[in-house]
Amino acid sequence: MKRSFQIKMPKQEVFNRELVLQQASNVFHHKGYNATSMQDLVDATGLNRSSIYNSFDSKLKLYLECLNSYQTKYQNIMHSILIKAENPFNAIALIFKKYVEEIIADKDRKGCLITNCKSEMANQDVTVNYFLHNNQKETLALFEDLVKKGQEEQLINTNKHPKAYGMYLFSSIQGLRMTGILNQNEHELMELVHITLDTLK
Amino acid sequence: MKRSFQIKMPKQEVFNRELVLQQASNVFHHKGYNATSMQDLVDATGLNRSSIYNSFDSKLKLYLECLNSYQTKYQNIMHSILIKAENPFNAIALIFKKYVEEIIADKDRKGCLITNCKSEMANQDVTVNYFLHNNQKETLALFEDLVKKGQEEQLINTNKHPKAYGMYLFSSIQGLRMTGILNQNEHELMELVHITLDTLK
DNA sequence: ATACATTTGAAACGTTCATTTCAAATAAAA
DNA sequence: TTTTATTTGAAATGAACGTTTCAAATGTAT
């Protein structure tokens, strides 16, 4: 196949974009956005400064890509939980249990990247704010749907509307994540989760 | 009265320390620790750089004083709530109601200075970490005490130990504070609070 | 008025920041 | 092999960072 004005193909990106995002996410997660320097990101990714700017434009855009990558990772985890859960209430319980496991496994006590982001950046950058609103919308939709199905199967009481219980679960998760920064005692955290979930029973 | 080696009294600090801490707190609250520059603090307080360093030693120490000042302010609020509350359960309800009011009044969506601090700094600085642990200890003690008394007065169920319910309330407050950054709808927040507190009934 | 310890203001400190520049290296297509 | 668009590495950019310096101003006590 011949073309008169054939486009010459350039040298391509050689790094694994998803791996780089993972490495950058680790730094942002550990230090937060503002305390993370471009040098930190160069060191963590092994990429050259100009390669980072070529591929991600700016520190802020790289951060946003990390947030999206982190969100996608958790969406996949949630999806696999939904598949293996026995029923909607059990799915909610497994999600909370998963978060407790993450907290205990997090020896650096970093908390949740997205919760930290909300605390640090929600009122500072409009694109970050937009991401956070979207993340909230999707999380609320997941919980609301599970509560609605749980109520239909009479596993969850109907004292409150699914929207209200969805908000309650979303807020409880954020509280759990914050609490988990200083407290990593599995028994105490699970008791907290039991109290939270008994409300739905 | 005469003394051979009389100490000459120096010019004294002229500014109101508590006011300056309030002004500095506003900046830290709005931007977080790392995004706040010394120039921001100079602008907000009207003090000269060297006066700030003379009086507070460093940005970090000033931050810690702001945290303590903020904590004291809330302790006073809690104290006045305890006085006017009809009973221990009502005290807890008034505390949550107060937080909802703070969230709604916070047009800058700054969240809680201490929660934000935990998210940004708990794993970065040991003195901040110490402050946060102490703040948690005191808050837990307050809630535990209220729950214990509420149970004794049969206003709160005895399904769980006061310590466990105290932790639940502490975690719920943090969740509420995080949720309130993006969501300032009074009705939704109060519904959230009602669900949280109904657990104790 | 004078002496003096401290605060204050303005400038400067050296460092680090995010970002840009640009020549050299690279890989795909001709 | 040559051409070409892009990536890469290393250095440089100017601005901003937290902190220090020090002479001048200030207020107290003699």
Side-chain angles (χ1 to χ4, degrees):
Chain A
M1 181 87 146
K2 279 178 93 169
R3 283 197 282 162
S4 316
F5 298 99
Q6 178 75 39
I7 295 159
K8 305 291 168 53
M9 291 306 290
K11 180 181 176 186
Q12 295 293 325
E13 257 180 23
V14 294
F15 60 83
N16 177 335
R17 193 177 181 88
E18 206 49 49
L19 173 62
V20 166
L21 285 175
Q22 175 77 31
Q23 293 165 326
S25 290
N26 288 342
V27 185
F28 282 130
H29 201 165
H30 189 256
K31 308 186 81 171
Y33 177 77
N34 285 296
T36 297
S37 71
M38 220 53 192
Q39 189 59 51
D40 291 332
L41 295 166
V42 166
D43 294 343
T45 61
L47 295 184
N48 187 272
R49 294 172 114 71
S50 46
S51 302
I52 295 179
Y53 278 95
N54 250 325
S55 303
F56 301 101
D57 280 7
S58 70
K59 183 185 166 188
L60 185 62
K61 284 191 182 171
L62 172 56
Y63 182 62
L64 282 162
E65 283 217 45
C66 287
L67 289 174
N68 275 297
S69 160
Y70 186 89
Q71 179 179 239
T72 300
K73 197 184 87 183
Y74 271 86
Q75 282 168 342
N76 292 337
I77 290 170
M78 296 303 131
H79 186 248
S80 73
I81 286 177
L82 293 191
I83 288 169
K84 69 167 85 103
E86 301 159 17
N87 59 57
F89 180 83
N90 180 240
I92 294 170
L94 288 177
I95 289 171
F96 273 74
K97 187 154 176 282
K98 173 71 186 171
Y99 278 108
V100 170
E101 286 167 10
E102 298 259 315
I103 288 168
I104 292 166
D106 174 19
K107 292 307 171 200
D108 292 331
R109 297 163 179 260
K110 303 183 295 293
C112 170
L113 178 64
I114 296 178
T115 304
N116 294 350
C117 167
K118 185 187 286 193
S119 162
E120 186 179 12
M121 304 283 283
N123 63 351
Q124 297 296 320
D125 180 87
V126 60
T127 58
V128 171
N129 188 272
Y130 180 81
F131 167 86
L132 290 169
H133 266 104
N134 186 258
N135 175 264
Q136 169 170 283
K137 201 187 79 185
E138 290 183 16
T139 311
L140 287 177
L142 169 70
F143 280 138
E144 183 183 341
D145 183 57
L146 286 171
V147 168
K148 184 154 170 281
K149 286 174 180 159
Q151 287 178 331
E152 283 163 7
E153 295 180 31
Q154 295 174 20
L155 299 160
I156 293 175
N157 71 57
T158 52
N159 300 348
K160 294 285 180 182
H161 191 276
K163 265 197 167 30
Y165 273 150
M167 183 89 144
Y168 169 73
L169 292 171
F170 180 56
S171 192
S172 297
I173 286 277
Q174 290 175 93
L176 179 64
R177 282 299 225 169
M178 290 306 305
T179 300
I181 291 175
L182 291 192
N183 189 327
Q184 319 230 65
N185 182 294
E186 177 165 16
H187 176 261
E188 286 182 23
L189 293 174
M190 282 309 294
E191 183 131 79
L192 186 50
V193 169
H194 288 139
I195 295 173
T196 303
L197 298 189
D198 276 356
T199 303
L200 307 185
K201 274 287 184 189
Chain B
M1 181 89 146
K2 276 177 98 167
R3 281 196 281 161
S4 315
F5 300 98
Q6 178 75 40
I7 295 159
K8 306 290 169 54
M9 292 306 289
K11 179 181 178 187
Q12 294 294 323
E13 256 180 25
V14 294
F15 60 82
N16 178 336
R17 195 178 181 89
E18 207 47 50
L19 173 62
V20 166
L21 285 176
Q22 176 77 30
Q23 293 165 326
S25 290
N26 288 342
V27 185
F28 283 130
H29 200 165
H30 189 255
K31 307 185 84 170
Y33 177 77
N34 284 296
T36 296
S37 71
M38 219 54 191
Q39 188 58 52
D40 292 332
L41 296 166
V42 167
D43 295 343
T45 61
L47 295 185
N48 188 272
R49 293 172 112 70
S50 47
S51 301
I52 295 178
Y53 278 95
N54 248 324
S55 303
F56 301 102
D57 279 7
S58 68
K59 181 185 166 190
L60 185 62
K61 286 192 181 169
L62 172 55
Y63 181 62
L64 283 161
E65 285 219 44
C66 286
L67 290 173
N68 275 298
S69 159
Y70 186 90
Q71 179 180 238
T72 300
K73 196 183 88 184
Y74 271 87
Q75 281 168 343
N76 292 338
I77 290 171
M78 295 304 132
H79 186 248
S80 73
I81 286 177
L82 293 191
I83 287 170
K84 67 168 88 103
E86 301 159 19
N87 59 58
F89 180 83
N90 181 240
I92 294 171
L94 288 177
I95 289 171
F96 274 74
K97 187 156 174 282
K98 174 70 185 172
Y99 278 109
V100 170
E101 285 166 11
E102 298 259 313
I103 289 167
I104 292 167
D106 174 19
K107 291 309 172 202
D108 291 332
R109 297 164 180 262
K110 304 183 294 293
C112 171
L113 178 64
I114 296 178
T115 304
N116 294 350
C117 168
K118 186 187 284 192
S119 161
E120 185 178 13
M121 304 283 284
N123 63 348
Q124 296 297 317
D125 181 84
V126 61
T127 58
V128 171
N129 187 272
Y130 178 82
F131 167 86
L132 290 169
H133 266 104
N134 186 258
N135 174 264
Q136 169 170 283
K137 203 187 76 185
E138 290 184 14
T139 310
L140 287 177
L142 169 69
F143 281 138
E144 183 184 339
D145 184 57
L146 286 173
V147 168
K148 185 154 168 282
K149 287 174 180 160
Q151 287 177 333
E152 283 163 7
E153 296 182 31
Q154 296 174 20
L155 300 160
I156 293 174
N157 71 58
T158 53
N159 298 348
K160 295 285 180 182
H161 192 275
K163 264 197 168 28
Y165 274 150
M167 183 87 144
Y168 169 72
L169 292 171
F170 180 57
S171 193
S172 297
I173 286 277
Q174 291 174 92
L176 179 63
R177 282 298 224 168
M178 290 306 305
T179 300
I181 291 175
L182 291 191
N183 190 326
Q184 318 231 65
N185 181 294
E186 177 165 14
H187 177 261
E188 285 182 24
L189 292 174
M190 281 309 294
E191 182 131 79
L192 186 50
V193 168
H194 287 140
I195 295 172
T196 303
L197 298 189
D198 275 356
T199 304
L200 305 185
K201 276 287 180 187

